Amino acid sequence: MQQNVERIVIAGAGQAGASAAIELRRAGFQGGLVLVGDEVHAPYERPQLSKEMLKPGEVTLRAMREEDVYETFSIQLALGTKATHVDAERRRLVMEDGTHHDYDRLLLATGVRPRSLPDADARRVRYLRTVEDALQLREDIEQGHSIAVVGGGVIGLEVAAAVNARGNPVVVIEAGQRLMMRSVDERIARYLDRTHRGRGVDIRYGTQITSWDASGMLTLSDGSRIQADRVLVGIGVVPNTELVAHLDITDELGVRVDACGRTALRDIYATGDVASQPGAGGFARVETWANAQDHAAAVARSLMGDASPYQSPTWFWSDQGMTNLQVLGNAMQGTPVLRGDEHGDRFSIFWLDTADRLTGCSAVNSPKDMAMARRWIRQSAVLEPRLLADLSHPLRDCLALAGATTEEI
Ligand SMILES: Cc1cc2nc3c(=O)[nH]c(=O)nc-3n(C[C@H](O)[C@H](O)[C@H](O)COP(=O)(O)OP(=O)(O)OC[C@H]3O[C@@H](n4cnc5c(N)ncnc54)[C@H](O)[C@@H]3O)c2cc1C
């Protein structure tokens, strides 16, 4: 353990904050540990908000951990109050109610919030980040409202699928020319377009809302008009960095950290969605469940003096109606090899570098392919593209190394 660290304060009681707090205790930190959050709930995972919570039936918010875990691990939960300012000189986290928490080390895990749609009609617009947002959207669905979803990314498409499954009219309005532009290649975007449309979701590309009228009529930039009782906006996020905006530790993405989660200030670390992390393609925010879990745990160990760089490839999943999509590593760059039929219901795209080493994979309804890809990326495996593209060859026989099995690598 580093010298003189008697008190660690974590700002942000979401998934990353909770994961870090628990890991700090597991790693043997015995000092004071405070987890500060502006939501009133104990830490919970957000994926349920656009999935289980929008389904019919009873609704319960699943907390991240059993209720007594914070007591068991002597983690002081300070919920329901926002941190407004970090006084780095005095090593103090100042809260909006005038109280403060002194720290020897501060971990920023404040996450992100939805980017808002300018000039939106506040009574009809919806965002999805918190349990309250999800409950409101659920109520809208239950009242039979028609919903326009702005943004064809993960959140927009999960909501569109959920609304459609409940029988309400839903239209996706995407400014770009295809779905999930930032995270999957064109073939998967085409698959998603086909399946969502096949189930009755209307999708409009290359257009945006230009005006709203009181009756719920939206006018789009292509001149078309859509009737929508509610508008769910999923057009990206902004990082919650205001409390450290006066410190020189942010960049345009969030709080900039090195591979161990350290900022430019010795006493301050960051993790989760708010962190601008170094990776193969430069700095990026990694807005995924797995990063909030694993990066946070790695940064907790780093706070304890184990400064091993965090190197796990990015992984996320998305459930959209009957479709399970998983994306691992760099799934937009290199040479793509298609395994399966992109016009069918399941296929994978493996991404190889110039040496045919696997660097990324996107899998549609193919969790076994994803499990193998995960293992191969960890092993820096070199694959045989011709075999990979041929479904008659079992996946495990696609390694380029003659005679090698996955177990032997
Ligand atoms: C609807 C939805 C569905 C998702 N589905 C998936 C999925 O299927 N797969 C996947 O991989 N990822 C998914 N994600 C992403 C994943 O949930 C996030 O990456 C993860 O929650 C990030 O954790 P975090 O702790 O960094 O941020 P958060 O979970 O947002 O936690 C940050 C916490 O800090 C609080 N906070 C912010 N500012 C302050 C302040 N100044 N003072 C005190 N508290 C503050 C916030 O209110 C929040 O409680 C989804 C996200 C959403 C919103």
Side-chain angles (χ1 to χ4, degrees):
M1 180 68 196
Q2 295 178 17
Q3 298 275 301
N4 304 326
V5 178
E6 286 170 10
R7 197 170 163 79
I8 297 178
V9 173
I10 302 175
Q15 190 188 342
S19 170
I22 290 165
E23 185 66 14
L24 276 166
R25 287 299 189 221
R26 281 205 191 112
F29 178 61
Q30 291 178 348
L33 183 51
V34 189
L35 184 53
V36 170
D38 59 359
E39 292 186 80
V40 294
H41 312 282
Y44 60 93
E45 293 174 1
R46 296 183 198 277
Q48 62 186 314
L49 306 182
S50 51
K51 302 176 183 70
E52 294 91 326
M53 290 199 78
L54 301 184
K55 287 189 177 152
E58 217 171 283
V59 61
T60 41
L61 175 67
R62 246 182 311 108
M64 253 186 86
R65 295 295 305 260
E66 56 282 19
E67 239 172 70
D68 59 1
V69 75
Y70 303 99
E71 207 184 316
T72 308
F73 282 117
S74 297
I75 298 165
Q76 184 194 333
L77 276 184
L79 300 175
T81 315
K82 188 173 182 164
T84 49
H85 184 77
V86 174
D87 182 341
E89 221 155 89
R90 295 160 86 181
R91 296 199 293 196
R92 175 168 283 186
L93 180 69
V94 181
M95 308 301 294
E96 70 181 345
D97 63 3
T99 60
H100 63 261
H101 298 277
D102 290 331
Y103 62 81
D104 296 314
R105 293 287 184 273
L106 173 67
L107 175 60
L108 297 166
T110 47
V112 294
R113 60 182 180 274
R115 183 181 298 286
S116 50
L117 190 69
D119 307 322
D121 174 347
R123 287 161 307 157
R124 284 193 285 140
V125 78
R126 301 286 184 258
Y127 297 93
L128 186 51
R129 185 75 196 174
T130 64
V131 60
E132 289 76 16
D133 294 339
L135 290 174
Q136 187 172 42
L137 184 59
R138 183 184 162 88
E139 198 180 313
D140 291 332
I141 297 171
E142 278 169 356
Q143 286 178 359
H145 289 314
S146 56
I147 297 191
V149 171
V150 181
V154 168
I155 303 256
L157 293 176
E158 289 194 357
V159 169
V163 173
N164 175 253
R166 304 283 296 264
N168 301 30
V170 57
V171 51
V172 175
I173 302 165
E174 167 55 52
Q177 296 304 323
R178 67 174 181 84
L179 300 173
M180 290 187 66
M181 190 102 85
R182 285 190 305 142
S183 45
V184 297
D185 94 331
E186 276 173 34
R187 282 173 283 199
I188 293 181
R190 278 199 297 269
Y191 165 84
L192 293 173
D193 177 272
R194 173 164 55 84
T195 50
H196 282 288
R197 280 184 198 281
R199 292 173 200 140
V201 177
D202 183 359
I203 305 179
R204 313 284 177 95
Y205 293 104
T207 190
Q208 304 181 34
I209 299 176
T210 51
S211 68
W212 314 52
D213 79 14
S215 70
M217 187 61 79
L218 307 174
T219 304
L220 306 188
S221 54
D222 62 7
S224 59
R225 283 154 70 80
I226 291 171
Q227 178 68 38
D229 303 320
R230 299 289 180 265
V231 177
L232 184 279
V233 178
I235 54 170
V237 293
V238 288
N240 294 320
T241 51
E242 287 75 8
L243 71 171
V244 290
H246 58 294
L247 304 175
D248 204 11
I249 58 171
T250 56
D251 58 22
E252 67 285 359
L253 298 168
V255 180
R256 183 171 277 222
V257 294
D258 68 9
C260 302
R262 297 175 288 218
T263 70
L265 290 177
R266 189 174 156 269
D267 310 322
I268 305 183
Y269 292 62
T271 186
D273 282 9
V274 79
S276 169
Q277 299 173 215
F283 282 81
R285 273 199 315 265
V286 184
E287 299 160 22
T288 68
W289 179 93
N291 187 68
Q293 199 66 23
D294 301 340
H295 183 266
V299 176
R301 294 190 292 275
S302 166
L303 272 156
M304 295 288 291
D306 169 14
S308 323
Y310 180 74
Q311 284 172 331
S312 293
T314 305
W315 171 75
F316 73 89
W317 85 98
S318 173
D319 293 324
Q320 301 176 18
M322 305 297 282
T323 299
N324 170 258
L325 171 67
Q326 297 190 50
V327 179
L328 175 70
N330 192 343
M332 295 277 278
Q333 245 175 25
T335 306
V337 179
L338 175 69
R339 185 171 172 85
D341 176 7
E342 65 177 293
H343 305 291
D345 281 338
R346 42 188 297 184
F347 63 94
S348 300
I349 301 176
F350 290 82
W351 291 81
L352 307 182
D353 69 9
T354 48
D356 289 339
R357 207 182 317 276
L358 185 67
T359 55
C361 178
S362 325
V364 172
N365 297 324
S366 305
K368 286 187 179 159
D369 287 8
M370 182 49 66
M372 192 64 101
R374 191 190 291 274
R375 190 165 169 180
W376 280 340
I377 288 184
R378 224 176 17 239
Q379 296 164 333
S380 296
V382 175
L383 303 183
E384 176 51 71
R386 194 180 43 82
L387 300 183
L388 199 55
D390 182 351
L391 271 184
S392 67
H393 283 274
L395 188 56
R396 66 198 309 274
D397 293 344
C398 295
L399 287 165
L401 297 176
T405 67
T406 39
E407 281 72 30
E408 286 163 357
I409 286 185

